[in-house]
Amino acid sequence: MRDIKMQYLAAAAMAALLGWSGFVAHDTAAQKIVCWKDKSGKTVGCGDKVPPEYQDSATRELDKRGVTRKTTESAEEQAKRKAQEKVSEKDKAELAKKAAEQKRLDSALVNTYSNEKEIDLRRDRDLATTDSQITQLKVMQKNATDRQAEVKGRIDAAKKGGKPATDAQKEELARAESDQLKAEQSIADKEKEKVEIRKRYADMRARYVELKGGGSPAAPAPAPAPAAPAKK
């Protein structure tokens, strides 16, 4: 019996040294053995049960033939896996949401336009509307600039006559300067908006062509001109 016990202990020691390697135990010995790791992932021991200080460690259970029957994660590994699963589920949900939104946009696109030319016409109308707004803003900018110059001229004239600018004149000049700057910024914003309009419709057109499988059919080539009659 002592020999059997020594044989079992030797097998357990060998399993620990080789790190999850197989071993053979006598039939009358324990029917399984468990090996456990430390926090670094190194196998540090084997036996019939895991010591209390290694209860949260990764383990591997082997039968009497040394065949792995069960493995467990460490508490740290389990926490990391669950956290990763949550991230993965969130990513999947986000991807599904984006796919549904893209499907909705694609459906609206193909149901709104009959061909690419209609998209181009809509783009041109939006650009024309923005150009009209820019024209109005430029008029406002010019009016503000003219008003600024006029008020400044009155203030300069008053100074030449030895009179300082009144509070009303200062406020009027400040408003004119502010209006001029606002109009200038609005014009710049509208110019950027035109760039965005062109890009948006270019992307829309490309997507439409993709969904339609290549776009509208090409116009037929003109018929060749009849050959000149042969000279007699």
Side-chain angles (χ1 to χ4, degrees):
M1 187 64 182
R2 182 178 179 182
D3 292 339
I4 293 174
K5 186 176 181 181
M6 293 299 294
Q7 184 179 3
Y8 178 82
L9 293 174
M14 184 63 70
L17 288 173
L18 297 179
W20 309 127
S21 63
F23 64 92
V24 178
H26 196 275
D27 289 343
T28 59
Q31 295 297 306
K32 67 179 182 179
I33 189 168
V34 180
C35 296
W36 54 90
K37 296 180 179 180
D38 60 12
K39 291 184 178 181
S40 67
K42 180 182 178 182
T43 302
V44 292
C46 294
D48 58 347
K49 63 180 180 179
V50 180
E53 62 269 27
Y54 290 102
Q55 289 298 316
D56 291 335
S57 302
T59 64
R60 186 175 184 184
E61 184 179 303
L62 303 96
D63 63 16
K64 63 181 181 180
R65 295 183 299 276
V67 177
T68 300
R69 295 302 181 186
K70 181 181 178 182
T71 60
T72 63
E73 298 174 311
S74 67
E76 184 178 357
E77 290 171 339
Q78 188 178 47
K80 288 181 179 179
R81 176 176 56 78
K82 289 183 177 180
Q84 185 60 39
E85 287 174 355
K86 287 183 179 180
V87 172
S88 179
E89 289 175 1
K90 183 178 179 181
D91 290 343
K92 288 179 181 178
E94 187 65 26
L95 288 174
K97 183 179 178 181
K98 288 182 179 179
E101 177 62 13
Q102 186 61 55
K103 184 177 181 180
R104 185 189 69 80
L105 293 173
D106 289 344
S107 178
L109 181 61
V110 297
N111 289 326
T112 301
Y113 301 101
S114 300
N115 51 56
E116 308 95 280
K117 291 182 179 179
E118 290 185 2
I119 297 176
D120 295 340
L121 290 173
R122 179 65 180 273
R123 175 204 62 203
D124 293 343
R125 285 198 297 270
D126 285 357
L127 287 172
T129 298
T130 306
D131 281 334
S132 177
Q133 294 170 344
I134 290 175
T135 298
Q136 293 175 4
L137 287 168
K138 286 182 176 179
V139 171
M140 293 171 60
Q141 182 186 33
K142 183 179 184 304
N143 290 340
T145 302
D146 291 345
R147 191 167 69 254
Q148 180 182 355
E150 190 271 332
V151 175
K152 193 173 181 181
R154 282 191 281 117
I155 292 175
D156 290 342
K159 286 182 178 180
K160 288 181 180 179
K163 296 180 180 180
T166 64
D167 291 340
Q169 288 175 330
K170 291 177 181 179
E171 291 177 2
E172 189 176 0
L173 180 61
R175 284 197 302 270
E177 291 175 344
S178 176
D179 291 344
Q180 193 274 337
L181 290 174
K182 287 180 180 178
E184 183 178 350
Q185 183 60 53
S186 296
I187 291 171
D189 292 341
K190 287 297 178 180
E191 291 292 350
K192 290 180 181 179
E193 186 177 317
K194 287 175 63 177
V195 174
E196 293 171 356
I197 289 172
R198 290 190 180 95
K199 183 180 184 307
R200 183 170 72 251
Y201 278 97
D203 293 342
M204 190 186 301
R205 194 181 198 279
R207 182 61 177 169
Y208 182 89
V209 171
E210 181 182 353
L211 292 172
K212 286 292 187 177
S216 302
K231 293 182 179 180
K232 296 182 179 179

